[in-house]
Amino acid sequence: MNNRFKEAEFATWVGIVANTLLTILKGVFGYISGSRALVADAAHSASDVAGSVAVLAGLRTARKPPDDDHPYGHGKAENIATIIVAILLVVVGVEIATSSASVFLGEIPEAPGTIALAVIVFSIVVKEILFHYKKRIAKKIDSSALMAEAWHHRSDALSSVAAFLGVGGAILGERLELTFLLYADPIAGLVVSLIVIKIGFSLAKEAGSIMMEQVLEADKTNPFIETVMATPGVKRVDELLARTHGHYIVIDIKVSVDPYITVEEGHRISKNVKRRLLERHEDINNVLVHINPYNEE
């Protein structure tokens, strides 16, 4: 478990350092070149930094062991961090859209400097590397917060692609004296905003389902039922409710046993059910077993 959090924290720190450098780079050269798309992209990278800090805080809280007030542990802290990242994405997306749309109400914009293109290409390469790196780690340690971070990087890379097309189109429009292409830069800003907002809502929806204690679908719980039914003494699984609690699963289960055995024997069966589930499924963290008397109905 400690190794899991160490890997997650290291990956998060890598993102914080990289995004801080990219934010400065995009912001400075976006201002110098006069590119609205690049400045908007800088704001996106800045939201990445804020999101990474939120994820880091969530990971450190999630690693705390269960206590009297949190008997199921602190795993949902990662989902809270995911929601924070999602909110930041939506807010930044709306700001980018507002800024870009305002250009159409003013004078004809000027084309950005060519240095903006070089910065955007560099950003795309870095963000794609970060996306694949964090996605791999997130799958390895099963972290929703880190996976949200990974997709945040991908959204930044996609927004940079849109910025590249916008800046390139505006520069081309200036050279060919095509006025309509000068609006490619702010249009790219609008495209970036839609990408950012969509990803933000998607992440919020997924994390929200976990926070609302949504149970896992039947196809995901069938292996758990098979494990329980293989336990000596279990006649039937009456009900199994499995829910995600951060990066792990908590199960409430009702099983039927012979109604004529002793309480001690029933207790032993329930302990075996719990032990088998914990031993054979690494993603399960806690199991509450309720014993029912078996009947044919």
Side-chain angles (χ1 to χ4, degrees):
M1 186 66 73
N2 287 333
N3 288 334
R4 174 188 185 274
F5 285 111
K6 285 180 180 179
E7 287 192 71
E9 286 190 11
F10 180 79
T12 303
W13 274 113
V14 169
I16 290 174
V17 173
N19 280 317
T20 299
L21 294 176
L22 285 176
T23 298
I24 296 171
L25 191 67
K26 292 178 185 178
V28 170
F29 285 100
Y31 177 78
I32 293 174
S33 65
S35 172
R36 287 183 174 272
L38 189 54
V39 171
D41 217 18
H44 192 181
S45 293
S47 75
D48 271 346
V49 176
S52 293
V53 172
V55 168
L56 189 62
L59 288 169
R60 290 185 173 179
T61 301
R63 72 189 301 174
K64 294 180 180 179
D67 53 37
D68 292 338
D69 294 326
H70 306 88
Y72 293 106
H74 300 76
K76 285 189 179 179
E78 288 191 42
N79 304 115
I80 294 173
T82 302
I83 291 175
I84 293 173
V85 173
I87 292 173
L88 285 171
L89 281 171
V90 174
V91 171
V92 169
V94 172
E95 289 179 351
I96 294 172
T98 302
S99 175
S100 299
S102 65
V103 176
F104 296 95
L105 303 177
E107 298 179 356
I108 297 175
E110 295 182 0
T114 54
I115 185 64
L117 289 176
V119 174
I120 292 172
V121 170
F122 177 74
S123 173
I124 292 172
V125 173
V126 172
K127 298 303 289 188
E128 272 299 297
I129 292 173
L130 286 173
F131 166 71
H132 289 288
Y133 166 65
K134 286 197 176 181
K135 184 180 179 182
R136 179 176 61 83
I137 299 297
K139 284 186 174 181
K140 178 182 177 182
I141 65 176
D142 191 22
S143 170
S144 65
L146 204 59
M147 184 61 77
E149 274 283 271
W151 281 104
H152 202 162
H153 290 310
R154 168 53 66 84
S155 73
D156 210 355
L158 292 174
S159 70
S160 293
V161 170
F164 179 84
L165 295 175
V167 172
I171 293 174
L172 184 64
E174 184 178 63
R175 292 182 178 179
L176 298 178
E177 297 184 353
L178 298 174
T179 303
F180 71 93
L181 281 179
L182 293 174
Y183 288 95
D185 186 49
I187 289 174
L190 287 172
V191 173
V192 170
S193 69
L194 294 176
I195 294 172
V196 173
I197 291 171
K198 181 180 182 300
I199 292 177
F201 275 116
S202 296
L203 291 174
K205 181 181 178 181
E206 182 179 348
S209 295
I210 295 175
M211 293 297 293
M212 293 296 290
E213 303 259 321
Q214 181 178 6
V215 296
L216 299 181
E217 298 173 355
D219 60 330
K220 295 182 179 180
T221 60
N222 284 336
F224 305 151
I225 294 176
E226 291 175 5
T227 298
V228 174
M229 288 302 300
T231 304
V234 173
K235 298 286 188 179
R236 181 177 60 218
V237 173
D238 297 322
E239 184 179 53
L240 188 148
L241 300 177
R243 63 188 188 277
T244 52
H245 199 88
H247 60 279
Y248 51 81
I249 295 173
V250 174
I251 289 180
D252 295 324
I253 184 171
K254 297 178 181 179
V255 297
S256 288
V257 300
D258 186 338
Y260 301 108
I261 62 175
T262 65
V263 172
E264 184 177 355
E265 289 174 313
H267 178 65
R268 177 177 51 78
I269 293 172
S270 69
K271 287 181 65 176
N272 286 336
V273 167
K274 180 175 181 177
R275 178 180 55 80
R276 282 172 173 251
L277 284 170
L278 292 174
E279 289 179 351
R280 300 187 182 187
H281 304 277
E282 294 182 355
D283 49 349
I284 297 177
N285 177 264
N286 203 342
V287 180
L288 178 62
V289 184
H290 178 81
I291 298 295
N292 288 331
Y294 177 75
N295 59 67
E296 293 295 336
E297 297 178 0

